[in-house]
Amino acid sequence: MDFFSTYGFLIVSMLFQAMLGLSLYIPLMTGQLSLASPGFYALGGYIAAILSTTVFLPEGGGKWESGTFPIIYVLIETVLAGLASALLALLIGFPSLRLRGIYLALATIAFVEIVRVLSLNLEITGKAIGIFGVPQPFINKFDYVVLALPLLIASAWFVYRLERSRVGRAFTALREDELAAAAMGVNPTTNKVLAFVLGAVLAGMVGAISAHFLNTWNARQGTFDVSILVLAYVIIGGSRTFLGPILGGLLLTALPEVLRAIAGIQGLPLFLSQFLLDGRLIIYGLLIVVAPLFYPQGLITPDLFKRRAVKTKEAGA
Amino acid sequence: MTTNLFFQQVANGLAIGSVYAIFALGYTLIFSILGIINFAHGAVFTLGAYFTFTLTGTAFGFNGLLAQQKLPFSLWFPLALLGGALLAGLISVIIERLAFRPLRRRGADSLLTLVSSLGLAVAIVNIIQFLVGAEAYSYPSSALNDILTPFLFLFPDGKVPLALRVPLTEPPIIVRMVQVVIFATSIFILIALTYLINGTKVGKAMRAVAEDATTSSLLGISTDRLIQFTFFLSGFVGGIAGVLVGMSVGITGPYFGIAFGLKGLAVIVLGGLGSIPGAVLGGLVIGLGEALVPAEYIGYKDAVAFAVLFIVLLIRPQGLLGRVFIQKV
């Protein structure tokens, strides 16, 4: 079990990040670039952190009978975080989704920044220090996999089914041509808000579990930096199928560890191994610049699954 | 808020607002020509500040690849500022080559270009951190005093060094000399840019490309070169903005341009995307708005720009002075 104690934290982080990638992908299905995920992620985390440190306390102020924080409360917090995110997303979604493209991206950046400034200043969110000592439902970090993996599988399955449903096809129609879709009877606002709310719910739920997982929650958890990282998962992984952001989240979260392993190889020049250790974000950034040139739709495209059709088409052309 | 405090904050707000204005002009220039927001503009702003710092011949801190290194020469501060701004402009041209041109050639979605420029911003910021560490830097006071001393003409009584005071009021309204220099430089740049765009041939070409890129290229304007020039101009002005802010509050680390860059977005949206007078108006409004936040809510100061951004997007997406574009099929 040595492997899991060393890499348990990393593996669970990978699952969380894959879900965040998915939460940005869902609004993108309708062609809306929304960078709001980290805002909802932060909100969900605060809900879990506040509830578990102030409301869900063991009776008599002692310890829990089982020794660890009951999982049922984590699940309740996760559901509440999802609900709160849905409400907030509805509230800001209806007015802001009249905006398109760049304006929506800007509005969601503003939302993330406002959440950050609020959490830096409000008493209930612990101001700049944040909330410490979020109780642990598990002894090992790796055990969080029993929460993270089912949630990832469920959300991936949900998006998979969504893509093949009437609503999912409406999303795609909006992405390809909003005007034509509207003319065919697809309501742009309703569908965009729906996609926005679904993404927010997922991000909020991931935040709730993450707060326990990280043991602490503060204003650094949901920032513009996180927006960029999550965006990188989608752009590099693939923006046309739900597998793209999942793969992107898994790969890019594991990348620093891989780079660390490469940097450990004997005989590498010092500055190079230093670069591999400290230059993770440089490499991320450059990947985001280069990837759209070679893989305009990301590493995983729907065409991969119908390779034959593509080949015959190429042969014909 | 007393009247004096009010005027004091108005003075502070005008100084920072004028920097917002010239910084936001960098976004505006590129947006009016390409219709794309250059997210790497905040990184160029940071680079301008760091380049100028380097050119003053001051040694770097203890972290990063260039720890304790310094140039063998040191420039007079205004020259270092000019050099830093030129280098920032050059980097901006390189950014165009790396993140904009290849995608433009492929006719890619403008959102993809936005993402690509964002990636380059992340890379630049982290290269800075890799080279000189994440610590805060400030320009050596000797270098600053060089340019501030000539302005030191009112009440240099030692209590408030390098500041103007309005003497008849109590408490006196104090305007730091740095603020005067910042305001004057910004106004100068605004006037020079306005002249460049409205009074010169290259400005006419820029306006033509902004109006219709295809037609103007048919009429003999080299669009690619003009875009390059626009990026240079945007980077040059953005670099100066970086130095001005660095003079006032110091360079707070490689990320300081990112936060400023996000605020710059609020400025251009408030003024109207692509509108030059709009960027100026937006900059001053947000600068004043931030300065007039009451002291007990000072923690929320950074949210002012974003709250304004959000509200403007909801109520009047075209901004104060922008034009309404009707989406055509």
Side-chain angles (χ1 to χ4, degrees):
Chain A
M1 294 311 273
D2 199 36
F3 176 79
F4 290 121
S5 61
T6 314
Y7 290 109
F9 187 85
L10 177 69
I11 292 169
V12 178
S13 304
M14 285 164 68
L15 299 176
F16 283 144
Q17 298 301 319
M19 283 187 269
L20 282 183
L22 212 50
S23 78
L24 194 145
Y25 168 76
I26 300 174
L28 203 61
M29 282 167 75
T30 63
Q32 305 300 308
L33 178 63
S34 151
L35 298 174
S37 288
F40 295 110
Y41 172 72
L43 174 75
Y46 277 118
I47 287 175
I50 291 167
L51 283 180
S52 63
T53 50
T54 58
V55 181
F56 297 151
L57 296 172
E59 280 178 45
K63 291 203 165 190
W64 292 100
E65 272 174 45
S66 58
T68 50
F69 187 72
I71 294 180
I72 182 75
Y73 285 145
V74 180
L75 295 178
I76 294 173
E77 289 162 13
T78 310
V79 172
L80 286 176
L83 285 176
S85 301
L87 271 179
L88 187 61
L90 268 179
L91 213 63
I92 63 173
F94 263 109
S96 54
L97 285 161
R98 292 181 307 142
L99 307 167
R100 286 166 179 230
I102 214 148
Y103 287 97
L104 179 71
L106 293 179
T108 52
I109 289 174
F111 164 68
V112 171
E113 283 296 310
I114 290 172
V115 169
R116 186 181 67 87
V117 175
L118 282 181
S119 52
L120 269 177
N121 286 289
L122 290 177
E123 203 72 55
I124 192 168
T125 54
K127 297 195 169 176
I129 301 162
I131 297 172
F132 274 105
V134 182
Q136 296 293 301
F138 304 108
I139 295 165
N140 293 317
K141 288 290 181 197
F142 180 69
D143 292 341
Y144 275 93
V145 113
V146 305
L147 291 175
L149 193 59
L151 188 59
L152 175 61
I153 292 173
S155 49
W157 183 81
F158 179 81
V159 178
Y160 171 77
R161 294 303 304 162
L162 184 69
E163 281 181 344
R164 276 148 194 81
S165 71
R166 186 186 155 81
V167 178
R169 276 194 284 272
F171 285 4
T172 314
L174 282 175
R175 182 184 65 198
E176 296 302 331
D177 191 333
E178 185 170 329
L179 213 66
M184 301 292 286
V186 173
N187 184 333
T189 312
T190 317
N191 280 292
K192 284 194 230 166
V193 172
L194 178 64
F196 187 67
V197 169
L198 288 176
V201 168
L202 183 57
M205 286 170 37
V206 174
I209 306 176
S210 292
H212 285 281
F213 179 64
L214 296 175
N215 203 358
T216 163
W217 202 252
N218 54 45
R220 278 192 302 280
Q221 300 304 334
T223 60
F224 183 61
D225 292 0
V226 184
S227 298
I228 300 174
L229 276 183
V230 178
L231 184 63
Y233 305 154
V234 181
I235 297 299
I236 294 169
S239 54
R240 289 298 164 104
T241 154
F242 72 100
L243 289 171
I246 294 180
L247 182 87
L250 295 175
L251 281 184
L252 287 183
T253 314
L255 187 66
E257 286 304 314
V258 176
L259 293 178
R260 194 192 307 277
I262 300 175
I265 295 172
Q266 294 283 315
L268 229 51
L270 184 68
F271 80 91
L272 190 61
S273 55
Q274 195 67 35
F275 177 75
L276 288 174
L277 285 180
D278 297 338
R280 169 177 72 112
L281 285 165
I282 303 178
I283 296 170
Y284 271 12
L286 293 178
L287 275 178
I288 299 178
V289 179
V290 174
L293 294 181
F294 297 104
Y295 301 98
Q297 300 191 346
L299 287 172
I300 299 189
T301 61
D303 292 345
L304 282 179
F305 305 108
K306 37 183 179 181
R307 205 176 271 160
R308 266 174 115 184
V310 173
K311 272 197 182 140
T312 38
K313 220 160 96 190
E314 276 170 0
Chain B
M1 193 178 277
T2 64
T3 331
N4 273 6
L5 186 59
F6 176 77
F7 282 115
Q8 173 75 63
Q9 295 296 32
V10 167
N12 295 347
L14 283 178
I16 190 69
S18 63
V19 187
Y20 284 154
I22 61 165
F23 174 71
L25 272 180
Y27 280 124
T28 298
L29 286 173
I30 292 172
F31 187 87
S32 59
I33 289 197
L34 291 180
I36 295 170
I37 288 180
N38 172 20
F39 266 82
H41 192 50
V44 172
F45 166 93
T46 315
L47 278 174
Y50 275 90
F51 280 137
T52 302
F53 180 85
T54 315
L55 289 174
T56 57
T58 323
F60 293 115
F62 292 97
N63 294 310
L65 208 62
L66 297 178
Q68 301 278 281
Q69 304 287 320
K70 62 175 186 178
L71 286 180
F73 57 88
S74 73
L75 290 179
W76 184 49
F77 192 83
L79 278 182
L81 186 153
L82 198 64
L86 283 173
L87 286 171
L90 214 61
I91 296 283
S92 187
V93 172
I94 296 174
I95 288 172
E96 195 269 332
R97 282 303 282 269
L98 291 178
F100 285 77
R101 189 176 293 187
L103 287 169
R104 194 165 66 241
R105 289 270 156 81
R106 275 157 224 243
D109 191 351
S110 68
L111 282 185
L112 212 54
T113 318
L114 183 155
V115 169
S116 182
S117 69
L118 205 53
L120 213 50
V122 174
I124 290 173
V125 165
N126 285 283
I127 288 171
I128 296 175
Q129 177 157 352
F130 186 66
L131 291 179
V132 301
E135 60 252 60
Y137 289 98
S138 54
Y139 295 117
S141 55
S142 60
L144 282 187
N145 286 349
D146 260 8
I147 60 159
L148 295 180
T149 320
F151 294 93
L152 188 72
F153 50 86
L154 266 183
F155 296 97
D157 59 0
K159 250 167 80 184
V160 190
L162 306 179
L164 283 169
R165 297 202 325 193
V166 177
L168 295 177
T169 54
E170 198 60 44
I173 299 168
I174 296 164
V175 182
R176 287 164 64 212
M177 205 49 72
V178 170
Q179 293 176 319
V180 176
V181 172
I182 286 176
F183 190 72
T185 315
S186 304
I187 296 299
F188 173 74
I189 286 174
L190 283 178
I191 293 170
L193 259 181
T194 312
Y195 172 71
L196 182 85
I197 289 165
N198 293 322
T200 64
K201 206 172 169 189
V202 69
K204 202 178 226 173
M206 282 168 75
R207 279 180 291 146
V209 173
E211 197 63 41
D212 188 334
T214 319
T215 310
S216 50
S217 82
L218 287 174
L219 292 173
I221 296 170
S222 165
T223 323
D224 268 350
R225 281 188 49 196
L226 199 83
I227 289 173
Q228 263 183 356
F229 176 73
T230 310
F231 267 83
F232 174 79
L233 208 59
S234 149
F236 183 80
V237 176
I240 290 181
V243 182
L244 293 181
V245 174
M247 275 166 69
S248 172
V249 297
I251 308 169
T252 50
Y255 278 90
F256 99 122
I258 299 290
F260 208 83
L262 292 179
K263 278 190 194 163
L265 294 176
V267 169
I268 50 170
V269 172
L270 173 62
L273 281 183
S275 156
I276 288 174
V280 178
L281 182 66
L284 293 178
V285 168
I286 288 190
L288 286 173
E290 284 189 351
L292 294 176
V293 171
E296 58 267 38
Y297 297 112
I298 202 73
Y300 293 98
K301 200 184 93 177
D302 282 340
V304 169
F306 300 106
V308 168
L309 170 60
F310 206 73
I311 294 166
V312 169
L313 282 176
L314 300 188
I315 298 173
R316 197 180 153 85
Q318 73 271 28
L320 293 175
L321 302 179
R323 279 186 295 176
V324 186
F325 289 94
I326 297 162
Q327 192 94 19
K328 285 176 251 173
V329 183

